[in-house]
PDB file of all heavy atoms in Angstrom:
ATOM      1  N   MET B 161       8.986   3.266   1.153  1.00 66.00           N
ATOM      2  CA  MET B 161       9.934   2.153   1.130  1.00 66.00           C
ATOM      3  C   MET B 161      11.104   2.467   0.197  1.00 66.00           C
ATOM      4  O   MET B 161      10.989   2.362  -1.014  1.00 66.00           O
ATOM      5  CB  MET B 161       9.221   0.885   0.668  1.00 66.00           C
ATOM      6  CG  MET B 161      10.136  -0.298   0.500  1.00 66.00           C
ATOM      7  SD  MET B 161       9.238  -1.833   0.648  1.00 66.00           S
ATOM      8  CE  MET B 161       7.870  -1.589  -0.481  1.00 66.00           C
ATOM      9  N   THR B 195       7.566 -13.044  14.212  1.00 96.00           N
ATOM     10  CA  THR B 195       8.940 -12.556  14.218  1.00 96.00           C
ATOM     11  C   THR B 195       8.938 -11.065  13.924  1.00 96.00           C
ATOM     12  O   THR B 195       8.494 -10.642  12.863  1.00 96.00           O
ATOM     13  CB  THR B 195       9.774 -13.293  13.157  1.00 96.00           C
ATOM     14  OG1 THR B 195       9.823 -14.681  13.475  1.00 96.00           O
ATOM     15  CG2 THR B 195      11.179 -12.736  13.108  1.00 96.00           C
ATOM     16  N   THR B 196       9.429 -10.279  14.886  1.00 97.00           N
ATOM     17  CA  THR B 196       9.438  -8.831  14.671  1.00 97.00           C
ATOM     18  C   THR B 196      10.773  -8.394  14.094  1.00 97.00           C
ATOM     19  O   THR B 196      11.799  -9.049  14.294  1.00 97.00           O
ATOM     20  CB  THR B 196       9.196  -8.078  15.986  1.00 97.00           C
ATOM     21  OG1 THR B 196      10.336  -8.242  16.833  1.00 97.00           O
ATOM     22  CG2 THR B 196       7.965  -8.614  16.700  1.00 97.00           C
ATOM     23  N   MET B 197      10.729  -7.301  13.410  1.00 98.00           N
ATOM     24  CA  MET B 197      11.965  -6.756  12.858  1.00 98.00           C
ATOM     25  C   MET B 197      12.939  -6.423  13.982  1.00 98.00           C
ATOM     26  O   MET B 197      14.158  -6.521  13.807  1.00 98.00           O
ATOM     27  CB  MET B 197      11.648  -5.505  12.036  1.00 98.00           C
ATOM     28  CG  MET B 197      10.896  -5.780  10.753  1.00 98.00           C
ATOM     29  SD  MET B 197      11.814  -6.808   9.581  1.00 98.00           S
ATOM     30  CE  MET B 197      13.007  -5.637   8.917  1.00 98.00           C
ATOM     31  N   ARG B 198      12.390  -6.031  15.127  1.00 98.00           N
ATOM     32  CA  ARG B 198      13.262  -5.743  16.269  1.00 98.00           C
ATOM     33  C   ARG B 198      13.979  -6.992  16.754  1.00 98.00           C
ATOM     34  O   ARG B 198      15.166  -6.978  17.076  1.00 98.00           O
ATOM     35  CB  ARG B 198      12.433  -5.123  17.392  1.00 98.00           C
ATOM     36  CG  ARG B 198      12.086  -3.652  17.154  1.00 98.00           C
ATOM     37  CD  ARG B 198      10.971  -3.165  18.067  1.00 98.00           C
ATOM     38  NE  ARG B 198      10.603  -1.782  17.786  1.00 98.00           N
ATOM     39  CZ  ARG B 198       9.824  -1.401  16.757  1.00 98.00           C
ATOM     40  NH1 ARG B 198       9.335  -2.304  15.924  1.00 98.00           N
ATOM     41  NH2 ARG B 198       9.554  -0.127  16.579  1.00 98.00           N
ATOM     42  N   LEU B 208      17.820  -1.683  14.609  1.00 98.00           N
ATOM     43  CA  LEU B 208      16.636  -1.791  13.754  1.00 98.00           C
ATOM     44  C   LEU B 208      16.860  -1.110  12.413  1.00 98.00           C
ATOM     45  O   LEU B 208      16.536  -1.648  11.349  1.00 98.00           O
ATOM     46  CB  LEU B 208      15.454  -1.167  14.489  1.00 98.00           C
ATOM     47  CG  LEU B 208      14.097  -1.209  13.814  1.00 98.00           C
ATOM     48  CD1 LEU B 208      13.697  -2.626  13.489  1.00 98.00           C
ATOM     49  CD2 LEU B 208      13.057  -0.561  14.710  1.00 98.00           C
ATOM     50  N   TYR B 212      16.791  -2.194   7.887  1.00 97.00           N
ATOM     51  CA  TYR B 212      16.127  -1.520   6.779  1.00 97.00           C
ATOM     52  C   TYR B 212      17.122  -0.934   5.788  1.00 97.00           C
ATOM     53  O   TYR B 212      16.748  -0.528   4.700  1.00 97.00           O
ATOM     54  CB  TYR B 212      15.177  -0.449   7.305  1.00 97.00           C
ATOM     55  CG  TYR B 212      13.887  -1.061   7.808  1.00 97.00           C
ATOM     56  CD1 TYR B 212      13.721  -1.388   9.143  1.00 97.00           C
ATOM     57  CD2 TYR B 212      12.862  -1.361   6.918  1.00 97.00           C
ATOM     58  CE1 TYR B 212      12.559  -1.974   9.591  1.00 97.00           C
ATOM     59  CE2 TYR B 212      11.696  -1.951   7.354  1.00 97.00           C
ATOM     60  CZ  TYR B 212      11.543  -2.254   8.699  1.00 97.00           C
ATOM     61  OH  TYR B 212      10.385  -2.847   9.136  1.00 97.00           O
ATOM     62  N   SER B 217      12.106  -4.019   3.319  1.00 95.00           N
ATOM     63  CA  SER B 217      10.931  -4.326   4.126  1.00 95.00           C
ATOM     64  C   SER B 217      11.045  -5.759   4.620  1.00 95.00           C
ATOM     65  O   SER B 217      11.908  -6.522   4.187  1.00 95.00           O
ATOM     66  CB  SER B 217       9.653  -4.158   3.315  1.00 95.00           C
ATOM     67  OG  SER B 217       9.527  -5.227   2.394  1.00 95.00           O
ATOM     68  N   LYS B 218      10.155  -6.089   5.517  1.00 95.00           N
ATOM     69  CA  LYS B 218      10.127  -7.463   6.013  1.00 95.00           C
ATOM     70  C   LYS B 218       9.864  -8.436   4.868  1.00 95.00           C
ATOM     71  O   LYS B 218      10.411  -9.536   4.828  1.00 95.00           O
ATOM     72  CB  LYS B 218       9.024  -7.563   7.086  1.00 95.00           C
ATOM     73  CG  LYS B 218       9.098  -8.799   7.964  1.00 95.00           C
ATOM     74  CD  LYS B 218       7.980  -8.766   9.018  1.00 95.00           C
ATOM     75  CE  LYS B 218       7.924 -10.057   9.822  1.00 95.00           C
ATOM     76  NZ  LYS B 218       6.780 -10.084  10.756  1.00 95.00           N
TER      77      LYS B 218
ATOM     78  P    DA D  24       3.406  -3.718  24.374  1.00 62.93           P
ATOM     79  OP1  DA D  24       3.565  -4.991  25.106  1.00 62.93           O
ATOM     80  OP2  DA D  24       4.416  -2.644  24.472  1.00 62.93           O
ATOM     81  O5'  DA D  24       3.210  -4.063  22.838  1.00 62.93           O
ATOM     82  C5'  DA D  24       2.097  -4.869  22.426  1.00 62.93           C
ATOM     83  C4'  DA D  24       2.253  -5.191  20.959  1.00 62.93           C
ATOM     84  O4'  DA D  24       1.859  -4.045  20.171  1.00 62.93           O
ATOM     85  C3'  DA D  24       3.689  -5.512  20.537  1.00 62.93           C
ATOM     86  O3'  DA D  24       3.618  -6.556  19.579  1.00 62.93           O
ATOM     87  C2'  DA D  24       4.205  -4.203  19.954  1.00 62.93           C
ATOM     88  C1'  DA D  24       2.933  -3.578  19.379  1.00 62.93           C
ATOM     89  N9   DA D  24       2.862  -2.115  19.446  1.00 62.93           N
ATOM     90  C8   DA D  24       3.300  -1.314  20.460  1.00 62.93           C
ATOM     91  N7   DA D  24       3.069  -0.036  20.258  1.00 62.93           N
ATOM     92  C5   DA D  24       2.413  -0.005  19.021  1.00 62.93           C
ATOM     93  C6   DA D  24       1.895   1.042  18.250  1.00 62.93           C
ATOM     94  N6   DA D  24       1.955   2.324  18.611  1.00 62.93           N
ATOM     95  N1   DA D  24       1.316   0.717  17.074  1.00 62.93           N
ATOM     96  C2   DA D  24       1.252  -0.553  16.716  1.00 62.93           C
ATOM     97  N3   DA D  24       1.708  -1.629  17.359  1.00 62.93           N
ATOM     98  C4   DA D  24       2.279  -1.277  18.515  1.00 62.93           C
ATOM     99  P    DT D  25       5.007  -7.188  19.067  1.00 62.93           P
ATOM    100  OP1  DT D  25       4.718  -8.604  18.794  1.00 62.93           O
ATOM    101  OP2  DT D  25       6.131  -6.790  19.932  1.00 62.93           O
ATOM    102  O5'  DT D  25       5.186  -6.445  17.669  1.00 62.93           O
ATOM    103  C5'  DT D  25       4.151  -6.518  16.712  1.00 62.93           C
ATOM    104  C4'  DT D  25       4.446  -5.581  15.574  1.00 62.93           C
ATOM    105  O4'  DT D  25       4.186  -4.210  15.971  1.00 62.93           O
ATOM    106  C3'  DT D  25       5.915  -5.590  15.085  1.00 62.93           C
ATOM    107  O3'  DT D  25       5.905  -5.595  13.679  1.00 62.93           O
ATOM    108  C2'  DT D  25       6.458  -4.269  15.601  1.00 62.93           C
ATOM    109  C1'  DT D  25       5.213  -3.406  15.430  1.00 62.93           C
ATOM    110  N1   DT D  25       5.251  -2.101  16.122  1.00 62.93           N
ATOM    111  C2   DT D  25       4.651  -1.030  15.503  1.00 62.93           C
ATOM    112  O2   DT D  25       4.080  -1.108  14.444  1.00 62.93           O
ATOM    113  N3   DT D  25       4.745   0.149  16.188  1.00 62.93           N
ATOM    114  C4   DT D  25       5.379   0.358  17.413  1.00 62.93           C
ATOM    115  O4   DT D  25       5.393   1.469  17.932  1.00 62.93           O
ATOM    116  C5   DT D  25       5.986  -0.814  18.004  1.00 62.93           C
ATOM    117  C7   DT D  25       6.689  -0.714  19.303  1.00 62.93           C
ATOM    118  C6   DT D  25       5.895  -1.962  17.329  1.00 62.93           C
ATOM    119  P    DG D  26       7.086  -6.253  12.822  1.00 62.93           P
ATOM    120  OP1  DG D  26       6.714  -7.640  12.550  1.00 62.93           O
ATOM    121  OP2  DG D  26       8.366  -5.944  13.474  1.00 62.93           O
ATOM    122  O5'  DG D  26       6.999  -5.429  11.470  1.00 62.93           O
ATOM    123  C5'  DG D  26       5.778  -5.471  10.720  1.00 62.93           C
ATOM    124  C4'  DG D  26       5.664  -4.218   9.871  1.00 62.93           C
ATOM    125  O4'  DG D  26       5.489  -3.070  10.739  1.00 62.93           O
ATOM    126  C3'  DG D  26       6.891  -3.900   9.015  1.00 62.93           C
ATOM    127  O3'  DG D  26       6.453  -3.369   7.756  1.00 62.93           O
ATOM    128  C2'  DG D  26       7.637  -2.860   9.831  1.00 62.93           C
ATOM    129  C1'  DG D  26       6.499  -2.109  10.503  1.00 62.93           C
ATOM    130  N9   DG D  26       6.877  -1.533  11.796  1.00 62.93           N
ATOM    131  C8   DG D  26       7.436  -2.186  12.857  1.00 62.93           C
ATOM    132  N7   DG D  26       7.681  -1.404  13.875  1.00 62.93           N
ATOM    133  C5   DG D  26       7.249  -0.164  13.466  1.00 62.93           C
ATOM    134  C6   DG D  26       7.257   1.084  14.139  1.00 62.93           C
ATOM    135  O6   DG D  26       7.662   1.348  15.276  1.00 62.93           O
ATOM    136  N1   DG D  26       6.727   2.106  13.347  1.00 62.93           N
ATOM    137  C2   DG D  26       6.249   1.931  12.076  1.00 62.93           C
ATOM    138  N2   DG D  26       5.781   3.023  11.474  1.00 62.93           N
ATOM    139  N3   DG D  26       6.234   0.775  11.436  1.00 62.93           N
ATOM    140  C4   DG D  26       6.744  -0.220  12.180  1.00 62.93           C
ATOM    141  P    DT D  27       7.523  -3.023   6.636  1.00 62.93           P
ATOM    142  OP1  DT D  27       6.821  -3.055   5.347  1.00 62.93           O
ATOM    143  OP2  DT D  27       8.749  -3.816   6.838  1.00 62.93           O
ATOM    144  O5'  DT D  27       7.846  -1.508   6.968  1.00 62.93           O
ATOM    145  C5'  DT D  27       6.805  -0.548   6.846  1.00 62.93           C
ATOM    146  C4'  DT D  27       7.341   0.842   7.094  1.00 62.93           C
ATOM    147  O4'  DT D  27       7.627   1.017   8.502  1.00 62.93           O
ATOM    148  C3'  DT D  27       8.654   1.192   6.360  1.00 62.93           C
ATOM    149  O3'  DT D  27       8.395   2.285   5.502  1.00 62.93           O
ATOM    150  C2'  DT D  27       9.643   1.531   7.477  1.00 62.93           C
ATOM    151  C1'  DT D  27       8.729   1.886   8.640  1.00 62.93           C
ATOM    152  N1   DT D  27       9.290   1.655   9.991  1.00 62.93           N
ATOM    153  C2   DT D  27       9.389   2.718  10.854  1.00 62.93           C
ATOM    154  O2   DT D  27       9.041   3.843  10.570  1.00 62.93           O
ATOM    155  N3   DT D  27       9.905   2.415  12.095  1.00 62.93           N
ATOM    156  C4   DT D  27      10.329   1.177  12.534  1.00 62.93           C
ATOM    157  O4   DT D  27      10.780   1.030  13.670  1.00 62.93           O
ATOM    158  C5   DT D  27      10.215   0.109  11.576  1.00 62.93           C
ATOM    159  C7   DT D  27      10.648  -1.267  11.948  1.00 62.93           C
ATOM    160  C6   DT D  27       9.708   0.392  10.364  1.00 62.93           C
ATOM    161  P    DT D  28       9.559   2.923   4.624  1.00 62.93           P
ATOM    162  OP1  DT D  28       8.940   3.319   3.347  1.00 62.93           O
ATOM    163  OP2  DT D  28      10.739   2.049   4.638  1.00 62.93           O
ATOM    164  O5'  DT D  28       9.898   4.250   5.420  1.00 62.93           O
ATOM    165  C5'  DT D  28       8.843   5.076   5.854  1.00 62.93           C
ATOM    166  C4'  DT D  28       9.407   6.298   6.544  1.00 62.93           C
ATOM    167  O4'  DT D  28       9.897   5.935   7.857  1.00 62.93           O
ATOM    168  C3'  DT D  28      10.581   6.953   5.819  1.00 62.93           C
ATOM    169  O3'  DT D  28      10.350   8.352   5.805  1.00 62.93           O
ATOM    170  C2'  DT D  28      11.801   6.562   6.664  1.00 62.93           C
ATOM    171  C1'  DT D  28      11.199   6.454   8.053  1.00 62.93           C
ATOM    172  N1   DT D  28      11.860   5.510   8.990  1.00 62.93           N
ATOM    173  C2   DT D  28      12.141   5.930  10.276  1.00 62.93           C
ATOM    174  O2   DT D  28      11.901   7.052  10.675  1.00 62.93           O
ATOM    175  N3   DT D  28      12.726   4.979  11.070  1.00 62.93           N
ATOM    176  C4   DT D  28      13.050   3.677  10.721  1.00 62.93           C
ATOM    177  O4   DT D  28      13.569   2.919  11.539  1.00 62.93           O
ATOM    178  C5   DT D  28      12.730   3.295   9.372  1.00 62.93           C
ATOM    179  C7   DT D  28      13.024   1.911   8.904  1.00 62.93           C
ATOM    180  C6   DT D  28      12.150   4.221   8.578  1.00 62.93           C
ATOM    181  P    DC D  29      11.186   9.297   4.816  1.00 62.93           P
ATOM    182  OP1  DC D  29      10.232  10.313   4.345  1.00 62.93           O
ATOM    183  OP2  DC D  29      11.972   8.486   3.864  1.00 62.93           O
ATOM    184  O5'  DC D  29      12.202   9.999   5.834  1.00 62.93           O
ATOM    185  C5'  DC D  29      11.750  10.306   7.148  1.00 62.93           C
ATOM    186  C4'  DC D  29      12.896  10.811   7.999  1.00 62.93           C
ATOM    187  O4'  DC D  29      13.390   9.736   8.833  1.00 62.93           O
ATOM    188  C3'  DC D  29      14.103  11.309   7.187  1.00 62.93           C
ATOM    189  O3'  DC D  29      14.629  12.457   7.810  1.00 62.93           O
ATOM    190  C2'  DC D  29      15.096  10.154   7.290  1.00 62.93           C
ATOM    191  C1'  DC D  29      14.794   9.648   8.694  1.00 62.93           C
ATOM    192  N1   DC D  29      15.182   8.230   8.910  1.00 62.93           N
ATOM    193  C2   DC D  29      15.522   7.802  10.199  1.00 62.93           C
ATOM    194  O2   DC D  29      15.499   8.619  11.120  1.00 62.93           O
ATOM    195  N3   DC D  29      15.865   6.509  10.381  1.00 62.93           N
ATOM    196  C4   DC D  29      15.865   5.658   9.352  1.00 62.93           C
ATOM    197  N4   DC D  29      16.204   4.395   9.580  1.00 62.93           N
ATOM    198  C5   DC D  29      15.515   6.087   8.033  1.00 62.93           C
ATOM    199  C6   DC D  29      15.187   7.372   7.862  1.00 62.93           C
ATOM    200  P    DT D  33      28.721  10.303  17.752  1.00 62.93           P
ATOM    201  OP1  DT D  33      28.742   9.889  19.168  1.00 62.93           O
ATOM    202  OP2  DT D  33      29.393  11.539  17.293  1.00 62.93           O
ATOM    203  O5'  DT D  33      29.287   9.102  16.886  1.00 62.93           O
ATOM    204  C5'  DT D  33      28.550   7.898  16.810  1.00 62.93           C
ATOM    205  C4'  DT D  33      29.184   6.973  15.796  1.00 62.93           C
ATOM    206  O4'  DT D  33      28.831   7.386  14.460  1.00 62.93           O
ATOM    207  C3'  DT D  33      30.727   6.948  15.849  1.00 62.93           C
ATOM    208  O3'  DT D  33      31.113   5.612  16.045  1.00 62.93           O
ATOM    209  C2'  DT D  33      31.147   7.498  14.482  1.00 62.93           C
ATOM    210  C1'  DT D  33      29.937   7.147  13.622  1.00 62.93           C
ATOM    211  N1   DT D  33      29.739   7.970  12.403  1.00 62.93           N
ATOM    212  C2   DT D  33      29.692   7.352  11.177  1.00 62.93           C
ATOM    213  O2   DT D  33      29.816   6.155  11.033  1.00 62.93           O
ATOM    214  N3   DT D  33      29.483   8.200  10.120  1.00 62.93           N
ATOM    215  C4   DT D  33      29.324   9.576  10.171  1.00 62.93           C
ATOM    216  O4   DT D  33      29.141  10.227   9.148  1.00 62.93           O
ATOM    217  C5   DT D  33      29.384  10.157  11.481  1.00 62.93           C
ATOM    218  C7   DT D  33      29.221  11.633  11.637  1.00 62.93           C
ATOM    219  C6   DT D  33      29.585   9.333  12.524  1.00 62.93           C
ATOM    220  P    DG D  34      32.629   5.266  16.346  1.00 62.93           P
ATOM    221  OP1  DG D  34      32.632   4.218  17.396  1.00 62.93           O
ATOM    222  OP2  DG D  34      33.400   6.512  16.512  1.00 62.93           O
ATOM    223  O5'  DG D  34      33.053   4.567  14.976  1.00 62.93           O
ATOM    224  C5'  DG D  34      32.242   3.522  14.452  1.00 62.93           C
ATOM    225  C4'  DG D  34      32.722   3.162  13.058  1.00 62.93           C
ATOM    226  O4'  DG D  34      32.367   4.228  12.135  1.00 62.93           O
ATOM    227  C3'  DG D  34      34.239   2.977  12.933  1.00 62.93           C
ATOM    228  O3'  DG D  34      34.453   1.838  12.128  1.00 62.93           O
ATOM    229  C2'  DG D  34      34.701   4.265  12.242  1.00 62.93           C
ATOM    230  C1'  DG D  34      33.503   4.592  11.369  1.00 62.93           C
ATOM    231  N9   DG D  34      33.309   5.999  11.024  1.00 62.93           N
ATOM    232  C8   DG D  34      33.322   7.065  11.883  1.00 62.93           C
ATOM    233  N7   DG D  34      33.091   8.211  11.275  1.00 62.93           N
ATOM    234  C5   DG D  34      32.909   7.857   9.946  1.00 62.93           C
ATOM    235  C6   DG D  34      32.631   8.679   8.823  1.00 62.93           C
ATOM    236  O6   DG D  34      32.481   9.902   8.777  1.00 62.93           O
ATOM    237  N1   DG D  34      32.530   7.922   7.654  1.00 62.93           N
ATOM    238  C2   DG D  34      32.679   6.554   7.595  1.00 62.93           C
ATOM    239  N2   DG D  34      32.551   5.998   6.387  1.00 62.93           N
ATOM    240  N3   DG D  34      32.949   5.790   8.632  1.00 62.93           N
ATOM    241  C4   DG D  34      33.043   6.509   9.775  1.00 62.93           C
ATOM    242  P    DC D  35      35.898   1.181  12.022  1.00 62.93           P
ATOM    243  OP1  DC D  35      35.707  -0.279  12.205  1.00 62.93           O
ATOM    244  OP2  DC D  35      36.832   1.938  12.882  1.00 62.93           O
ATOM    245  O5'  DC D  35      36.276   1.425  10.501  1.00 62.93           O
ATOM    246  C5'  DC D  35      35.310   1.144   9.485  1.00 62.93           C
ATOM    247  C4'  DC D  35      35.788   1.732   8.182  1.00 62.93           C
ATOM    248  O4'  DC D  35      35.465   3.142   8.128  1.00 62.93           O
ATOM    249  C3'  DC D  35      37.296   1.634   7.951  1.00 62.93           C
ATOM    250  O3'  DC D  35      37.520   0.998   6.705  1.00 62.93           O
ATOM    251  C2'  DC D  35      37.786   3.076   7.980  1.00 62.93           C
ATOM    252  C1'  DC D  35      36.536   3.835   7.531  1.00 62.93           C
ATOM    253  N1   DC D  35      36.437   5.243   7.988  1.00 62.93           N
ATOM    254  C2   DC D  35      36.104   6.232   7.054  1.00 62.93           C
ATOM    255  O2   DC D  35      35.917   5.909   5.872  1.00 62.93           O
ATOM    256  N3   DC D  35      35.992   7.522   7.464  1.00 62.93           N
ATOM    257  C4   DC D  35      36.190   7.835   8.755  1.00 62.93           C
ATOM    258  N4   DC D  35      36.072   9.113   9.125  1.00 62.93           N
ATOM    259  C5   DC D  35      36.524   6.838   9.721  1.00 62.93           C
ATOM    260  C6   DC D  35      36.645   5.565   9.296  1.00 62.93           C
TER     261       DC D  35
END
Side-chain angles (χ1 to χ4, degrees):
Chain B
M161 175 156 51
T195 297
T196 69
M197 291 298 284
R198 283 165 183 78
L208 182 57
Y212 282 94
S217 73
K218 196 178 174 185

